[in-house]
Every structure is written in C-alpha cells, then in structure tokens.
Amino acid sequence: MNFISNFYMLFGMNILLFSLLASIASLAYGVFLIWQVLAKPQGNEKMREIQKAIQEGSSAYLARQNKTVFWVGLAAVLALWYWLGPTLAAGFVVGAVASAFAGYIGMMVAVRANVRVTEEARQDFPLENLSGQAKHQRRLSNAFNLAFKGGAVTGFFVVGLALLSLTSFYWWTQDAKSLIGLGFGASLISVFARLGGGIFTKGADVGADLVGKVEAGIPEDDPRNPAVIADNVGDNVGDCAGMAADLFETYVVSALSVMLLGDMMFSGLKNAIEFPLLVGAFAVLASIAGSLFVRLTGNGIMSALYKGLAATTVILLAMFYWVTEKTNIVNLGNLNIFGALVVGVVVTAFMVLITEYFTSKKFKPVQSIAKASTTGHGTNIITGLAVSMQSTAWPVLIIGGGILISYIFSGLYGVALATMSMLSLTGIMVAIDAFGPITDNAGGIAEMAGLPDSVRQVTDPLDAVGNTTKAVTKGYAIASAGLAALVLFAAYNQELYNLGYNVIFQLTDIRVLLGLLIGGLMPYLFGSLAMQAVGRAGGAVVDEVRRQFKEKPGIMDRTEKPDYGKAVDIVTRAALKEMIMPAVIPIAFPVAVGFILGPEALGGLLVGVIVTGLFVAISMTSGGAAWDNAKKYIEEGQYGGKGSPAHKAAVTGDTVGDPYKDTAGPAINPMIKVANIVALLIARFLV
C-alpha cells in the first residue's frame, strides 16, 4: 500500500511525466533486448554471407524508399505550414520521422536476428547426453526464444517512440489539436511503408514461387533461384519496417483521436485529454512484465506466445481497475471508464482467437482450402475466396458489439477509450508479429546455406506459426483502425459543430449519399491498384528469373551462380514506382469531395471508407494467410505433400493470397485513417 500511495503522490497529478518515463523505459528495454540478440553467434561463413546480402538489400531498399518519400513529405510540410501554421507542420515532421525510425530499428534488428536464430536451430550440444528428440526440443526452444526477443525489439520501440512523440509534443504545445499534424505524418509514412514494402515483398515472393517452385520444380529458398535473396529482403522491408510503421501509426492516431475527442467533449478538461497517455504508460509496464512469461514448453509455439499476451492482459486490467476505481486521477462524472477499457481488451482477445481460427492449419477453414486443392487450381481459388469472405463475419459482429457496449458505458468517449485500450496491447502484439519474418528468414538461410534437414525441422514450424501471428496482428490492427476511424469521424463532426456548422448526416441528403458511395469505392480502388502493382512487379521478377535460367544453364547444376542483385534491383525500382499512385487516393479524394461537394459529402465519404475498408481489409488479410497456410499444410505431407498436384494448386492459391495479406489488405488500415485526418485538417476551410 505504501508503494501505491507513493506512486499516486508522485505521478497522480502529473500524467505527462509518468508517460514520458514509461516511454523511456520501453526504449531502454528494447535496447536491452538488442544487446541480448546481438550477443548470440552468427553461424558459419556461408550463413554470414547470406545474412549480409539480405541486410545490404534491405538497407538499400529502405534508403531509396525514404529518399522518395522525403519529397512527398517536404511538400506536405510546406502545405501545412502555409495553410495551417508551423505547429501542425512541426507535428507532421515529428510523426513522420518517428514512424520511419521505428520501422528502421525493427528491420535492422530483424536482419541481424535471422542468422542467429538459424544458428540456434543448428546447435548440436555435443557435450551433453541428450537424445535426438531432446536435442530437437532444445534447439526449438532456443530458436523460439531468440526469435521472440528479436521481434520484441520492434514492439517496444514502436510503443516507446509513439508514446514519447505524443507526450513530448503535447507537453510542448498544450494543444490536443496540434497532434493532428503528428498523426498525419505518421499515417502518410505508414501508407508508403506498407505499400512499398508490401509491393517489394510480394513481387519478389510471387516471382520466386512461380518460376522456382512451379516451373523449375526447386524448393522454396533454394539458392539456385535468382529471386531468393529478394524474397528474403522483402520479408524485412514489408513485414518488419512496413508493419512497424503501420502499428506506430495505428497507436498514434488512436491515442490522438481519444485526446482530441476528450478535448472537444469536456471543454479542455486536462485529465480527460491526458488519460489515453496514462493508459499507454501502464500498458508499457504491463507488456514488459508480460513478455517475461513467453516460454516454450513442448511444441506449443502459438500457446507460448499467447502466454505473454494473456499475462500482459491480466496485469493491464488490474492496473486499469486501480486507476479508475481506486483513485480520482480521472473523474468524469457517471461515465464507466473501467467498463469501456475492459471492452477494448475483450475485443482484442476475440479478434485474436477468430483470426487464428481462420488462418491456422489446426482448423477447418485452412484445411478446407487444402482439401479443395486436390481437385485443381480453380477449386483452390474458389474455396480460398469463400474463406476470405467468411472471415469478415465474426470480426465485424465483435467490433459492432464492442462499439455498442462501450457507448452504453461512456458514450462516444467510451468508444474512444475502448480503441485506446485495444492499442495498449500494441507492444506485445507487435512482438508476436515480428517473430514471423525473423523465423521465415531463418529457414531461408538454412536452405541457402545447405544446412541439415534437422535445422529446417526447427525453423519450419516456427515459420508456419509466424504466418498465423502476422495475420492475427493485422486483424488486430484493422479492428482498432475501424474503431479509431469512427472516433475520428466523431471528431470531424464535433469540429464542424465547434466551427458553427451543425450538420446532420442523412441518406436523404444527396450530398451525403454521393460521399458515401465515393468513400465506399476508395478501399476497392486502392486495393486493386496495390494488387496490380504486385502483379507487375512479380511479372518483372518472373521475366528476370527465366532470363537467368536460360542464359546461365549452369545455375541448375550449381556450376554457375545466380545474379541475386539484379532481381533485388528490379523489385526495388518496381516497388518505388508503383507505390505513389495508390498513396495519393486517401489524400486526393477527401480534398476533392470536401471542396466540390461540401462537408456533408465529406462526412459520407468517411463513413463509406470506414465500412467497406473494414470488410475488404479483414477479408484480404485473413484469406491470404489461409491460402498460405493451406500450402504449408500440404507441404507437411497432407494430400500428397510437396510436388503433388494438390501442392501445385496450393502454390497458385498462395500466389493470389500473398498480395492479399501482405500488400493490399494491411495498407488499407492506414489509408482509412489518412482520409479521416485529411478531413479534420480541411474542415475549417469548408464552412
């Protein structure tokens, strides 16, 4: 009790100080994990050579992407400065730089962790009296622990940087509206990172699979495939850097939406504005503690990761109960603050479980796609599309239920708090997600380095679980994006009211209806452009791989070495070229609709993009992961195993699913919020 009393006396009246210290603690813990990862051995010379190639390719791509985005960012800064003032422009810079840095740190640790995980899976324990199964279990446990620590670096840097930028910028400005610029910077960078990284990773993956697996009949990650290094580079720039920027943006925008709504609804009541930062600070402490519970026993890889999530959740709920029920830090009358916070955590739990059901090899949806593959490519695609559409039903019902219950508890502010409660688990969720690309690369290095099958027997099950963890995190991010966008829409409506324009959005108003239809169109148009971009990038890789196989026949008998760098360069140029047009959509459409059709139409657009975006994003991410794991299910020996007709059909399905789950689907998440933030920025010019 003395500790609690002292804690309250020290921080109870200074939420910003506590939040700042928590963000520093998150970054410090991330640095500690980096030290632990880098202390591990890197394996033999061949493994280090492959890792170096992946690292150099990843760094080169990210540098070129940042140079391209810089000019877009500079134009945005100048526009914000001219029309909205220096404070919003400064916020944009802070959000953009922090988002890019979060992605960079995550990727640079991942490309160094991959070879170390491979080495952990290779260790022989010669001096210990262990059976073959015991050695395998030790390798699996060691590789799992290291991969999780590597992923956790990304998680704690994302949360730490997000909380640090929000707290410090708000402390400096003392103006919640100034955070809109910060959110815009984070969102814009996220769109480019998700799109560019997604186009790169799936263009390389699709190209490598179509020529390597299907035409040449060589295994995945075979060093004879000229696109194999590009494929591994893609895992890092898309699933590490892109994912980190995405979750950073989701966290920042969700927090600022709650702070903004609190400012508008409670007339500048300080604690209502700052409370989301306190939620984030508690979450950091809970996530650090929860990460210590991640331990692998037996072969339950997914359950080991869920131990950390469950522990974090329990600790966090206890903290929420104490701060809302046992202190007066937040006193907002009759609002049930604790109930709204619990709703967010419950929605997260259900989203995790539902997404795992639709994407894990253990359950019927994935197995049904695998079974459909036995009758051909067409039936695989039909069943995969059916599963992808089915996967939207329960998540949307859960999200809808969460909105209703949190609204009953605390009105619109309750919905906002439920959103922040969901995002409070970002640290541990990103750690679980970033686990995936590290294990994927580890398996690739094992294959390319010619290591024994015993190594792949460790990395393959880790990689398979990684596919599910990536899907789970994307579902989580999309659900929170839907809630955050709803809060931003409420903030847009409130902003119009504060400007003296009391608008009522009715379907009988032709302007609202037109906006609704245009907004509903946006996720489909955005997704189609992203898919086409992957198709063109993948086609370029296919042409290059075929060229090298034709001009260098010695590649197949290993007397000639493929030109890996050429494939990396082709995908890099394609990704940077193709990411521009889709990224323009969430900026151009709201501006055009707002100034041509008015604020009523813009409000309709926001509702339309939220609704269809939620369905399209969930369908793509879950369906794509289901296709991928159906292929892996067959590769484990089901329905004829590798090389069988069912496997060839499953590879085709995976080729469709890859851009679904790793490019178009997750990129819709920041796209929704960019549209809403742009609406907030231009609202004052529309009335």
Side-chain angles (χ1 to χ4, degrees):
M1 286 303 293
N2 286 336
F3 169 76
I4 293 176
S5 299
N6 292 336
F7 175 90
Y8 180 69
M9 289 295 295
L10 182 61
F11 298 111
M13 304 312 294
N14 198 335
I15 293 174
L16 296 181
L17 175 61
F18 180 56
S19 177
L20 192 64
L21 292 174
S23 67
I24 294 171
S26 183
L27 296 173
Y29 187 60
V31 171
F32 172 70
L33 291 173
I34 291 174
W35 173 77
Q36 286 194 315
V37 170
L38 297 183
K40 295 292 184 178
Q42 301 181 63
N44 59 38
E45 185 178 351
K46 181 65 174 176
M47 294 163 62
R48 294 195 297 273
E49 181 185 337
I50 296 166
Q51 184 272 335
K52 185 180 179 183
I54 297 171
Q55 180 181 328
E56 289 176 351
S58 301
S59 300
Y61 171 78
L62 206 59
R64 290 171 67 174
Q65 177 182 274
N66 289 338
K67 287 178 182 177
T68 303
V69 176
F70 171 79
W71 296 107
V72 179
L74 181 61
V77 169
L78 294 175
L80 288 171
W81 190 298
Y82 182 78
W83 278 294
L84 297 169
T87 303
L88 281 171
F92 179 93
V93 173
V94 171
V97 171
S99 178
F101 186 64
Y104 176 80
I105 290 293
M107 188 198 74
M108 295 312 294
V109 173
V111 297
R112 288 167 171 80
N114 53 19
V115 71
R116 291 169 168 84
V117 171
T118 308
E119 177 63 13
E120 292 294 300
R122 186 177 80 108
Q123 289 185 10
D124 194 30
F125 314 108
L127 302 179
E128 301 185 43
N129 187 22
L130 297 174
S131 65
Q133 181 58 36
K135 286 184 179 181
H136 170 77
Q137 189 60 47
R138 177 77 68 84
R139 294 188 193 107
L140 184 65
S141 180
N142 290 350
F144 168 86
N145 290 335
L146 188 60
F148 176 76
K149 288 178 180 178
V153 171
T154 305
F156 287 102
F157 263 87
V158 164
V159 173
L161 288 168
L163 199 57
L164 179 65
S165 57
L166 281 166
T167 304
S168 56
F169 198 74
Y170 175 72
W171 204 338
W172 174 54
T173 63
Q174 292 295 307
D175 180 13
K177 290 185 179 180
S178 68
L179 296 174
I180 298 173
L182 195 153
F184 186 40
S187 295
L188 195 61
I189 292 298
S190 176
V191 170
F192 282 110
R194 266 300 193 190
L195 271 173
I199 294 168
F200 187 109
T201 183
K202 294 303 110 179
D205 196 0
V206 167
D209 282 355
L210 286 176
V211 183
K213 285 185 179 180
V214 178
E215 294 183 9
I218 58 179
E220 186 174 5
D221 297 316
D222 193 298
R224 291 173 292 179
N225 193 327
V228 70
I229 295 293
D231 187 9
N232 282 277
V233 168
D235 291 332
N236 294 288
V237 300
D239 292 332
C240 285
M243 179 274 300
D246 183 6
L247 269 295
F248 176 92
E249 176 267 348
T250 300
Y251 189 102
V252 165
V253 172
S254 298
L256 78 87
S257 66
V258 186
M259 296 173 73
L260 197 61
L261 195 64
D263 185 35
M264 293 178 175
M265 292 181 64
F266 298 99
S267 303
L269 183 62
K270 185 177 179 182
N271 283 354
I273 301 170
E274 297 177 0
F275 183 64
L277 300 176
L278 183 62
V279 170
F282 280 141
V284 165
L285 303 178
S287 297
I288 292 173
S291 68
L292 303 177
F293 286 83
V294 176
R295 289 289 183 271
L296 180 63
T297 54
N299 294 317
I301 300 169
M302 201 72 196
S303 60
L305 294 169
Y306 283 165
K307 288 176 186 174
L309 181 60
T312 302
T313 301
V314 171
I315 297 168
L316 192 58
L317 286 174
M319 289 179 170
F320 287 165
Y321 179 79
W322 173 74
V323 76
T324 57
E325 303 296 322
K326 300 299 181 180
T327 75
N328 62 356
I329 294 177
V330 182
N331 187 4
L332 300 177
N334 296 323
L335 298 184
N336 189 342
I337 302 298
F338 178 67
L341 292 171
V342 171
V343 169
V345 173
V346 171
V347 169
T348 298
F350 275 112
M351 286 298 302
V352 168
L353 294 174
I354 292 167
T355 307
E356 184 184 3
Y357 173 74
F358 279 100
T359 60
S360 173
K361 296 179 296 181
K362 298 184 294 182
F363 301 109
K364 185 178 178 180
V366 168
Q367 293 176 6
S368 69
I369 298 174
K371 185 178 181 180
S373 303
T374 61
T375 52
H377 301 254
T379 47
N380 171 282
I381 298 298
I382 292 169
T383 307
L385 287 172
V387 168
S388 75
M389 288 186 280
Q390 289 170 6
S391 69
T392 63
W394 278 110
V396 170
L397 291 174
I398 294 298
I399 294 168
I403 291 171
L404 177 62
I405 297 170
S406 59
Y407 185 85
I408 292 171
F409 281 143
S410 303
L412 278 176
Y413 192 69
V415 178
L417 286 179
T419 306
M420 189 61 205
S421 178
M422 286 189 69
L423 267 296
S424 66
L425 295 166
T426 296
I428 193 70
M429 291 296 296
V430 173
I432 292 172
D433 182 295
F435 168 92
I438 292 173
T439 56
D440 191 353
N441 268 201
I445 291 171
E447 184 74 35
M448 286 182 279
L451 300 182
D453 291 342
S454 60
V455 178
R456 290 302 301 252
Q457 290 169 7
V458 172
T459 60
D460 282 357
L462 294 175
D463 181 26
V465 169
N467 277 325
T468 301
T469 64
K470 288 186 285 186
V472 164
T473 307
K474 287 166 187 167
Y476 160 79
I478 292 163
S480 62
L483 289 172
L486 184 65
V487 176
L488 286 171
F489 172 74
Y492 168 73
N493 193 22
Q494 188 69 39
E495 177 73 359
L496 292 177
Y497 179 80
N498 292 344
L499 292 167
Y501 195 86
N502 189 15
V503 61
I504 299 175
F505 298 101
Q506 295 179 322
L507 290 179
T508 53
D509 187 333
I510 190 65
R511 295 168 296 180
V512 175
L513 186 59
L514 283 173
L516 190 65
L517 292 172
I518 294 170
L521 160 71
M522 287 171 61
Y524 286 96
L525 180 60
F526 182 91
S528 72
L529 292 174
M531 293 287 289
Q532 287 177 334
V534 172
R536 286 190 288 268
V541 175
V542 167
D543 290 340
E544 173 59 20
V545 174
R546 285 174 175 171
R547 182 192 68 80
Q548 291 200 33
F549 279 156
K550 182 180 179 179
E551 296 179 4
K552 296 183 176 182
I555 289 177
M556 295 304 294
D557 61 11
R558 305 181 191 272
T559 57
E560 289 185 89
K561 187 177 180 181
D563 185 355
Y564 301 121
K566 182 67 175 176
V568 172
D569 182 66
I570 286 173
V571 190
T572 298
R573 286 189 278 111
L576 296 177
K577 177 185 176 183
E578 299 283 357
M579 72 180 183
I580 302 296
M581 184 58 69
V584 172
I585 290 174
I587 300 174
F589 274 55
V591 171
V593 168
F595 283 102
I596 296 173
L597 299 176
E600 294 87 356
L602 182 54
L605 178 146
L606 298 181
V607 174
V609 76
I610 292 169
V611 173
T612 61
L614 196 61
F615 280 96
V616 172
I618 293 174
S619 175
M620 282 184 164
T621 53
S622 293
W627 260 311
D628 194 347
N629 275 339
K631 178 196 70 175
K632 285 183 166 55
Y633 184 70
I634 293 172
E635 288 175 344
E636 291 177 351
Q638 309 295 327
Y639 303 114
K642 290 184 179 181
S644 65
H647 182 237
K648 292 178 180 178
V651 170
T652 299
D654 182 37
T655 303
V656 177
D658 271 343
Y660 253 47
K661 70 180 174 69
D662 288 327
T663 307
I668 288 173
N669 170 17
M671 187 272 288
I672 295 172
K673 283 168 291 185
V674 169
N676 279 268
I677 290 173
V678 169
L680 273 173
L681 288 170
I682 66 173
R684 70 186 70 180
F685 301 108
L686 304 179
V687 298

